[in-house]
Amino acid sequence: MSMTDLNTLTIAEARDALRRGEVTSLDLTEACLAAIEGAGALGAFVHVTADLARDQARAADARIAAGDAPAMCGIPLGIKDLFCTRGVPSQAASRILQGFRPEYESTVTQNLFDAGAVMLGKLNMDEFAMGSSNETSCYGAAVNPWRRGNDATPLTPGGSSGGSASAVAADLCLAATGTDTGGSIRQPAAFAGITGIKPTYGRCSRWGIVAFASSLDQAGPMTKSVRDAAIMLGAMCGHDPKDSTSADLPVPDFEALLTGDIRGKVIGIPREYRMDGMPAEIEALWSEGAAMLRDAGAEIRDISLPHTKYALPAYYVIAPAEASSNLARYDGVRYGHRAKLAPGDGITEMYEKTRAEGFGPEVQRRVMVGTYVLSAGFYDAYYNRARRVRTLIKRDFEEVFAAGVDAILTPATPSAAFGLGEMAEADPVQMYLNDVFTVTVNLAGLPGIAVPAGLDRQGLPLGLQLIGRPWEEGDLLNTAHVLEDAAGFVAKPAKWW
């Protein structure tokens, strides 16, 4: 392999080449930095940290030479702009955090750096992780490296982890971090033909990740393969006393659990996910996915998750409510943007003007919805009712798992990637429907993974989702590994950028 192709490696391939001394972390890092420099049209990287990356790569090379390096040592990554990274702009793609350079490192990025990983820079995303198309970013939209045949229409890489999906699909980095509140790892992974796993709520620390909806947010890896997801997830997880919701559970060797054997496993197919108007290609892919798992020795069982139809409305009450509470801290007082004030303006005017200038329209919309559903006269009618529905959705899954189901197979998204601007201008509710297959997993706190499984007739990737039992990411990754193997998805976007 030539030095110029090193950015196309998977984590597993790079790790093995590093161990054999065929390549250095600095070589991998330079190849990625060159790819990033040539990919401005994708809008994926928004802050490049080349000097830091080279320093980390040299340190990783020394560690590998010394012979005791973990699997992620020397692997160049992109980091979503939602993760606070010490001394590096961490804006959550919002104007209100312009100029913010944290004095601390998020636990997840610290865990990755402790394992020897290299940070190439920060990745584009929807503002405060609110969006399904990466069009709400203060940096401008990220662009999907995939196109519809020979059509030059720029497509969305999905959201909110759109920059992560675009960067991994275009081989600008070997893998990336994402976060998922209602599908923000899994939907962009599906749109970009890569793998993305949202672990069980509490598996990865939320400390130092800019909060959107604290009871739903979870970080995870976005990678070129299921094996890579297993390797990187293992480095990201772990108990963190700084996060009260972090689980004090041992982190298994997820890669070692990829046996490829799923004989006797029971895979549930939920009838409620057969949506009206679902594209025939997604319906067909879903059936093929079930057949692939059956051929691998799993039992396919029809199941019911009766409260599915209430998931989107419950999510779009709970998530904005938590967002309105979390985003109250952006007031122009302590850090970030502060509006210019007129003579006679007081503290109230400062808050109002700062937020009006600093928050984009989608964030403003969600903060207003959230504040409304938490207000005195409506708290019971909206927020408390949504919380009760959330409990029922969680119970649906618990009953299915108690009846012996090991994993649940669903589509990842209701469509392939759509064009930038095709939906954003329409009705926000249309955009929210993108989360129809993914939000239940966040509401129930379960692990979910998106795996690329085929191309539609326009040559765009389509993904399938597997939902697992809580804390059984290893089992889920193994089932995903079997699906990935059977689907044999190896397509790459044709380079136009």
Side-chain angles (χ1 to χ4, degrees):
M1 168 159 281
S2 80
M3 284 296 172
T4 51
D5 295 335
L6 293 177
N7 53 302
T8 66
L9 293 176
T10 64
I11 292 173
E13 289 165 347
R15 170 193 62 188
D16 298 347
L18 285 164
R19 293 296 168 285
R20 290 193 300 262
E22 294 166 8
V23 64
T24 67
S25 175
L26 197 55
D27 296 332
L28 292 170
T29 300
E30 294 294 358
C32 289
L33 289 170
I36 293 164
E37 203 162 310
L42 293 176
F45 274 87
V46 291
H47 299 288
V48 179
T49 53
D51 294 341
L52 174 66
R54 291 182 180 110
D55 289 346
Q56 288 177 324
R58 287 186 196 100
D61 284 329
R63 199 166 158 185
I64 291 164
D68 72 335
M72 286 301 292
C73 191
I75 304 296
L77 304 176
I79 304 296
K80 186 177 179 177
D81 196 36
L82 204 64
F83 292 79
C84 286
T85 42
R86 187 185 295 110
V88 173
S90 304
Q91 271 183 250
S94 181
R95 261 185 212 93
I96 208 156
L97 279 172
Q98 199 126 32
F100 177 54
R101 290 169 184 259
E103 293 297 317
Y104 50 86
E105 195 66 53
S106 83
T107 300
V108 164
T109 47
Q110 189 64 58
N111 289 349
L112 287 166
F113 298 155
D114 289 348
V118 171
M119 176 169 77
L120 297 162
K122 302 299 280 289
L123 294 163
N124 207 345
M125 56 177 281
D126 279 292
E127 184 182 4
F128 282 105
M130 297 178 196
S132 305
S133 66
N134 212 124
E135 291 171 277
T136 68
S137 169
C138 72
Y139 307 115
V143 182
N144 197 325
W146 291 85
R147 287 192 157 165
R148 302 174 182 137
N150 297 320
D151 181 343
T153 308
L155 304 181
T156 178
S160 64
S161 309
S164 304
S166 177
V168 173
D171 292 317
L172 307 186
C173 48
L174 271 55
T177 63
T179 64
D180 190 310
T181 302
S184 285
I185 285 172
R186 291 158 292 151
Q187 181 251 21
F191 276 7
I194 64 166
T195 296
I197 182 170
K198 179 202 94 70
T200 311
Y201 182 79
R203 183 59 102 172
C204 283
S205 171
R206 290 182 298 106
W207 195 83
I209 300 172
V210 175
F212 165 10
S214 304
S215 74
L216 302 163
D217 300 345
Q218 201 58 200
M222 299 177 72
T223 60
K224 299 177 194 182
S225 72
V226 173
R227 181 172 298 277
D228 283 7
I231 296 169
M232 184 167 163
L233 181 62
M236 291 171 69
C237 297
H239 179 238
D240 180 10
K242 294 197 292 259
D243 171 4
S244 64
T245 61
S246 168
D248 193 359
L249 288 173
V251 180
D253 180 345
F254 294 124
E255 191 185 10
L257 297 171
L258 302 179
T259 61
D261 183 0
I262 59 164
R263 286 171 299 179
K265 294 283 182 192
V266 179
I267 309 293
I269 308 288
R271 67 174 70 106
E272 290 78 10
Y273 285 54
R274 295 195 188 286
M275 301 291 172
D276 289 341
M278 185 196 287
E281 290 172 295
I282 288 182
E283 185 90 48
L285 188 74
W286 190 10
S287 301
E288 281 163 37
M292 290 172 198
L293 296 172
R294 187 187 291 114
D295 289 345
E299 178 198 325
I300 305 297
R301 186 184 296 173
D302 285 320
I303 60 167
S304 177
L305 296 166
H307 295 91
T308 299
K309 59 179 171 292
Y310 305 115
L312 272 178
Y315 175 83
Y316 278 101
V317 168
I318 292 167
E322 296 188 12
S324 93
S325 152
N326 275 324
L327 269 57
R329 68 192 68 168
Y330 303 106
D331 52 18
V333 177
R334 288 158 295 206
Y335 48 77
H337 176 77
R338 179 183 295 181
K340 296 229 183 324
L341 302 182
D345 277 353
I347 188 94
T348 308
E349 288 80 9
M350 189 190 80
Y351 285 173
E352 285 172 356
K353 288 183 178 176
T354 295
R355 289 189 177 135
E357 289 174 16
F359 289 146
E362 182 58 35
V363 172
Q364 292 183 16
R365 190 180 291 128
R366 297 204 199 185
V367 165
M368 287 190 291
V369 166
T371 306
Y372 177 83
V373 302
L374 291 176
S375 60
F378 299 105
Y379 193 87
D380 270 340
Y382 290 107
Y383 187 65
N384 264 343
R385 184 172 293 178
R387 282 172 56 194
R388 286 198 293 275
V389 169
R390 179 182 188 167
T391 303
L392 294 172
I393 289 167
K394 194 165 187 280
R395 189 182 304 155
D396 283 352
F397 284 105
E398 285 165 357
E399 286 171 359
V400 163
F401 291 137
V405 169
D406 295 290
I408 296 166
L409 180 72
T410 79
T413 58
S415 71
F418 45 89
L420 289 168
E422 280 178 12
M423 222 182 272
E425 298 311 308
D427 165 8
V429 175
Q430 276 301 109
M431 190 70 90
Y432 299 163
L433 294 175
N434 264 287
D435 303 331
V436 65
F437 300 127
T438 49
V439 296
T440 52
V441 180
N442 300 81
L443 288 167
L446 299 170
I449 187 168
V451 179
L455 296 173
D456 75 356
R457 63 181 179 282
Q458 296 182 299
L460 297 180
L462 295 171
L464 289 172
Q465 172 179 238
L466 283 160
I467 303 166
R469 296 165 172 260
W471 314 114
E472 294 191 14
E473 290 87 359
D475 196 52
L476 180 65
L477 284 157
N478 186 42
T479 306
H481 184 51
V482 169
L483 183 62
E484 171 188 57
D485 243 21
F489 184 93
V490 290
K492 288 292 232 184
K495 192 170 190 300
W496 54 266
W497 60 92

